[in-house]
Amino acid sequence: MTTEVTPPPTSASPTARQVWTRSRGVALALVLLVVAAVAIAVVRSDARHGRLDPRSADPSGSRAVAELLADRGVDTRVVTTLDEAADAAGPDTTLLVAVPDLLTPRQQTRLRTATKNSGGRTVLVASGIASVERLAPGVMADPANSLDSTLEPGCDLPAAVRAGSADTGGIRYSSAHPEADECYRSQRLPTLLRIPAPSGDGDTVLLGAPDILLNHRLDEHGNASLALQLLGSRPHLVWYLPTPADATAGTEDEKSFFDLLPSGWLWGTLQLFVAAALAALWRARRLGPLVPEKLPVAIRASETVEGRARLYRKADARDRAALALRSATRIRLAPLVGVPGTQAHSPEALLPALSARLDGDGPSLRTLLFGPPPGDDAALIRLADQLDALERQVRRP
């Protein structure tokens, strides 16, 4: 008598509805994340559109100072690549670098090489620790910014004396150059620094804040006067607006994708991880042992079995499901073949009794009742059918 029974074909593949039910939460979260990313990108792009751009009439643009310079015969040209900026350096040109910290170290060194002996003026707007030491050797940026925005000249530089108070408060500098003009001091450190070139009539001007160049601040204090004098000393003004694409093009020290992400995204991701960890700790907490309680209604055994089967399937716990099926089958078979219940899970006691009763194959019975867990859902279903068939054979008179 054989113990192997071929069960009818049963489909274990999840239906489309089941797949959608399982994945709709993740899909909704991804959609919300994409929508949030697009919304934040739009808001950020609107907020930063035209900042320090001499073509922009936005409050944070600089079109007003470009128009005033044009009235005085100074033409303004906007460039967005390092090649254009380096080629434009010359004795009759003022080169303004809007965001020096956006340049890579290699680009900063190349820009310094092109401007130090050009005979022209280089204006660095809010050059910080990441760029000032290469663009203006011998100058250091203080980590602490100025607490005041509007400051008094406090120096003999003619442009500062004529302009009077101005909104230069921002990054503060310290210099070892003996001939440097240190103006608009905040706690003894200047926020405007002029360094003469080693030879010729050129110089480098470090401006601690861009406020005097912005449209909505130009008419305050002496901002307009100071901006026109700093940028109008030569007939040509080249306004260099570095971009992330220019900062990573053709360089060996390219910035990674994470370097280009706004800092807010990195902090937001970190906060999400912390929130997920806290949620996991909260869900994993156990307040004590379970307290048995009578159910308000009677639940059919079949519903309980189906509910537990769904839980096993959702968790992919085929090993636990197979163990439960085999254990229950062994408990029911043991008294039928004269094996005590305490030895129902002992292969040495149960398998010989079953083999004698069925005259079947011992190894096949061992695999069926004590074998490894099934590898997929179809194998689990086949195991359940074979256990049922085995039990029916034992019960058969």
Side-chain angles (χ1 to χ4, degrees):
M1 182 180 296
T2 179
T3 60
E4 296 291 336
V5 178
T6 303
T10 306
S11 175
S13 302
T15 64
R17 182 180 182 85
Q18 290 173 330
V19 172
W20 166 245
T21 301
R22 295 178 184 178
S23 60
R24 61 184 177 185
V26 177
L28 179 60
L30 291 176
V31 171
L32 292 178
L33 183 60
V34 171
V35 171
V38 173
I40 293 176
V42 170
V43 172
R44 289 181 62 89
S45 64
D46 290 342
R48 299 183 63 86
H49 173 69
R51 180 170 175 80
L52 279 179
D53 192 328
R55 301 163 297 186
S56 173
D58 293 346
S60 60
S62 300
R63 183 174 177 178
V65 69
E67 295 287 347
L68 292 177
L69 288 170
D71 293 341
R72 288 159 176 76
V74 178
D75 67 276
T76 301
R77 181 165 66 97
V78 178
V79 299
T80 57
T81 65
L82 178 62
D83 292 337
E84 294 175 305
D87 293 342
D92 60 346
T93 300
T94 297
L95 175 62
L96 181 145
V97 185
V99 192
D101 288 356
L102 190 59
L103 300 175
T104 65
R106 180 181 295 273
Q107 290 180 309
Q108 295 165 9
T109 302
R110 181 184 170 192
L111 183 62
R112 172 62 182 174
T113 302
T115 58
K116 66 178 180 180
N117 295 319
S118 66
R121 167 170 288 181
T122 303
V123 179
L124 305 175
V125 181
S127 180
I129 297 175
S131 62
V132 68
E133 294 184 4
R134 294 183 181 86
L135 294 176
V139 178
M140 293 183 295
D142 192 79
N145 288 1
S146 170
L147 297 178
D148 300 318
S149 174
T150 306
L151 302 170
E152 297 297 329
C155 66
D156 296 329
L157 183 66
V161 173
R162 287 191 290 266
S165 62
D167 293 319
T168 61
I171 299 176
R172 305 184 303 163
Y173 302 101
S174 59
S175 172
H177 294 273
E179 300 180 2
D181 294 306
E182 300 181 351
C183 305
Y184 298 98
R185 297 175 182 269
S186 172
Q187 297 180 353
R188 296 182 296 181
L189 291 179
T191 59
L192 188 149
L193 190 64
R194 176 189 170 273
I195 304 172
S199 61
D201 298 329
D203 59 10
T204 299
V205 177
L206 292 99
L207 188 60
D211 297 34
I212 67 170
L213 306 176
L214 303 180
N215 292 332
H216 71 293
R217 302 292 296 273
L218 190 64
D219 60 346
E220 299 177 4
H221 309 291
N223 294 347
S225 174
L226 183 60
L228 293 177
Q229 292 180 82
L230 293 179
L231 304 183
S233 61
R234 270 80 171 170
H236 304 291
L237 171 62
V238 175
W239 201 295
Y240 179 26
L241 296 172
T243 61
D246 177 49
T248 58
T251 61
E252 295 181 1
D253 51 350
E254 294 184 353
K255 293 185 176 181
S256 66
F257 171 76
F258 295 100
D259 294 330
L260 301 179
L261 285 177
S263 59
W265 278 90
L266 300 180
W267 280 110
T269 304
L270 178 61
Q271 291 175 2
L272 287 177
F273 276 114
V274 172
L278 292 177
L281 290 176
W282 168 63
R283 295 292 294 177
R285 184 181 180 186
R286 295 294 181 266
L287 300 179
L290 296 177
V291 178
E293 182 181 359
K294 291 185 178 181
L295 296 177
V297 295
I299 300 178
R300 293 184 299 173
S302 59
E303 295 182 4
T304 304
V305 172
E306 291 177 359
R308 177 167 294 186
R310 292 192 187 99
L311 291 176
Y312 280 145
R313 183 175 185 181
K314 186 175 182 180
D316 287 332
R318 286 183 292 271
D319 54 342
R320 298 290 299 275
L323 179 61
L325 291 173
R326 284 168 168 158
S327 178
T329 301
R330 292 195 296 263
I331 291 174
R332 290 192 298 268
L333 290 177
L336 297 178
V337 294
V339 175
T342 56
Q343 299 182 3
H345 305 298
S346 173
E348 293 76 11
L350 182 62
L351 292 179
L354 281 174
S355 298
R357 176 71 174 269
L358 300 175
D359 193 21
D361 187 4
S364 298
L365 291 174
R366 177 180 292 273
T367 302
L368 183 59
L369 293 172
F370 298 95
D376 52 31
D377 289 349
L380 178 62
I381 294 174
R382 187 163 55 252
L383 173 64
D385 292 340
Q386 291 173 353
L387 291 173
D388 287 342
L390 174 62
E391 188 172 347
R392 285 196 299 270
Q393 291 178 6
V394 174
R395 293 179 181 276
R396 186 180 303 162

